[in-house]
Amino acid sequence: MRINRVVFPFTYRFTPAMTSLMFKIGIVTVLGAGFLMLNNNYNFSSLAFFSKEEKSISDEQPPGLPIKLDGFKVAPLVSLADADLQQKLSEIVANNKKWAALAKSKKLSIGLVDLRDPANVKYANINGDNMMYAASLPKIAVLLAATDAIEKGELVETDEIKADMRLMIAKSNNAATTRMIDRIGLDKIAEVMQDPEYDFYDRTHGGGLWVGKRYAKTGPRKGDPLKNISHGATATQVSRFYYLLAFGQLVNFERSKEMLGYLGDPELHHKFVNTMDQLAPKAQVYRKSGSWRDFHSDSALIWGPNWRRYIIVALAEDADGEKLMRDLIKEVDGALKTQ
């Protein structure tokens, strides 16, 4: 290899003392740079060094959502079933006698999507196609139907509507949700859920997301065609919702980004969020949950920092469902960390 000689347009005579000083500075600089790089504090994107104290939360976050993968096609989630991930999830459930019993009696359904490599997504589930009463979790169906209506010009996106959609998702406010349902109608929600473009309610695979009643004591009730559930979901279809949203595939990229905005920064810190507050307080969490009597559900897209990039969904019929959700995400998080 030929090394070209660098010639400066001037000359300068260095004294021995100056040469020694420059040599020492060079050694310190190289050692300091090496130390920082070994401690993963070198930010290659901005070509700058940061100490741990200087790094902000945003510096530690992975690239934002939705994910853009040029040249890649988003594959159907069910086609991404992974044997190793399935074994880990099955072992988590089997190692807890109560969870195993609930799963066997179809009173526990779980969906898990590993997003750490967006070009190699992995999926696993327990009773994924088993439709259960999900209380407030299906409000994500109202969010999608309303966004679809806005995009098509069927609903005007006013500040009042934006406020209601945020209340509906972040605080799970029933009055705001009922106002949104009244604006678009139950038929519109059912139409969007069964639209081949989305296919979130599939009669050939156990049903899916369904909202057939206002979140109020009054009003008509239209149960789903398979089980006559008013507010229902399957773990697979909820997992698909977050999966497609993460890749900007719901309505369009910009509308997907808007829906993520409503789901982000949840204001109810229970179930999955309670545990994530302890395990990864800097993680971005996009979430919707639900509870009514013994029915408990939660769903979340966990995004960073570091390796945490996954979707988790759980539906349970158990009086102690709140604790189940907290413990489940802890087990899943730990299993993914060691994978």
Side-chain angles (χ1 to χ4, degrees), residues 19 30 35 69 73 104 154 203 206 260 278-279 289 292 314 322:
T19 302
V30 170
F35 175 80
L69 277 182
K73 183 178 180 181
K104 186 176 181 180
E154 300 167 357
R203 301 188 191 200
L260 282 166
Q278 302 170 48
L279 295 179
S289 66
W292 183 73
E322 164 77 22

Side-chain angles (χ1 to χ4, degrees), residues 151-165:
E151 181 64 20
K152 293 175 179 176
E154 300 167 357
L155 180 67
V156 179
E157 190 176 20
T158 64
D159 289 342
E160 183 181 5
I161 284 175
K162 290 179 181 178
D164 274 350
M165 289 205 285

Side-chain angles (χ1 to χ4, degrees), residues 25-309:
I25 292 172
I27 291 294
V28 170
T29 302
V30 170
L31 289 176
F35 175 80
L36 286 168
M37 291 176 73
L38 286 173
N39 283 274
N40 297 318
N41 287 321
Y42 185 72
N43 186 331
F44 289 91
S45 62
S46 61
L47 298 179
F49 289 97
F50 295 91
S51 68
K52 286 185 177 180
E53 292 73 24
E54 291 172 331
K55 288 183 73 175
S56 66
I57 292 175
S58 60
D59 290 326
E60 295 181 357
Q61 296 292 356
L65 294 167
I67 303 166
K68 279 187 176 180
L69 277 182
D70 295 332
F72 286 89
K73 183 178 180 181
V74 178
L77 181 61
V78 293
S79 71
L80 304 175
D82 181 80
D84 290 338
L85 187 64
Q86 184 63 55
Q87 182 177 350
K88 281 186 176 290
L89 181 59
S90 297
E91 286 176 354
I92 288 172
V93 174
N95 290 338
N96 185 302
K97 291 183 178 179
K98 182 175 182 178
W99 298 355
L102 287 171
K104 186 176 181 180
S105 62
K106 298 293 182 73
K107 291 185 177 182
L108 176 62
S109 300
I110 304 170
L112 179 61
V113 185
D114 184 348
L115 292 170
R116 285 176 293 182
D117 180 359
N120 184 30
V121 175
K122 301 172 182 178
Y123 173 62
N125 75 90
I126 302 292
N127 296 325
D129 288 343
N130 180 47
M131 188 169 176
M132 299 177 66
Y133 183 77
S136 289
L137 189 155
K139 290 175 181 177
I140 60 176
V142 182
L143 176 65
L144 174 59
T147 303
D148 181 89
I150 290 169
E151 181 64 20
K152 293 175 179 176
E154 300 167 357
L155 180 67
V156 179
E157 190 176 20
T158 64
D159 289 342
E160 183 181 5
I161 284 175
K162 290 179 181 178
D164 274 350
M165 289 205 285
R166 176 61 184 173
L167 284 171
M168 173 178 71
I169 299 300
K171 288 191 173 182
S172 201
N173 184 283
N174 285 339
T177 308
T178 295
R179 287 193 293 270
M180 290 306 304
I181 291 172
D182 289 344
R183 288 177 180 123
I184 59 178
L186 293 172
D187 290 341
K188 170 67 177 180
I189 299 170
E191 175 189 325
V192 172
M193 293 305 102
Q194 297 174 91
D195 187 329
E197 181 180 352
Y198 305 118
D199 204 22
F200 284 124
Y201 186 91
D202 184 351
R203 301 188 191 200
T204 63
H205 289 91
L209 280 167
W210 189 267
V211 174
K213 185 180 181 299
R214 303 161 84 225
Y215 283 85
K217 293 181 179 180
T218 61
R221 183 187 186 282
K222 298 181 180 180
D224 83 283
L226 292 179
K227 290 190 172 182
N228 196 32
I229 296 174
S230 59
H231 304 122
T234 65
T236 294
Q237 293 292 12
V238 179
S239 297
R240 282 187 65 244
F241 179 91
Y242 285 97
Y243 167 67
L244 294 172
L245 200 60
F247 283 94
Q249 300 294 302
L250 292 186
V251 184
N252 56 46
F253 191 88
E254 289 304 319
R255 291 298 185 185
S256 291
K257 192 172 183 178
E258 287 179 13
M259 284 186 276
L260 282 166
Y262 289 117
L263 290 157
D265 193 22
E267 297 185 35
L268 300 178
H269 288 248
H270 59 356
K271 300 177 187 172
F272 288 167
V273 177
N274 179 276
T275 299
M276 291 310 299
D277 283 344
Q278 302 170 48
L279 295 179
K282 294 180 181 179
Q284 297 175 15
V285 180
Y286 304 88
R287 179 279 192 119
K288 188 70 198 79
S289 66
S291 292
W292 183 73
R293 295 184 180 176
D294 288 347
F295 293 94
H296 297 270
S297 59
D298 210 347
S299 60
L301 166 57
I302 311 296
W303 194 253
N306 304 320
W307 60 268
R308 284 185 176 90
R309 302 187 189 188

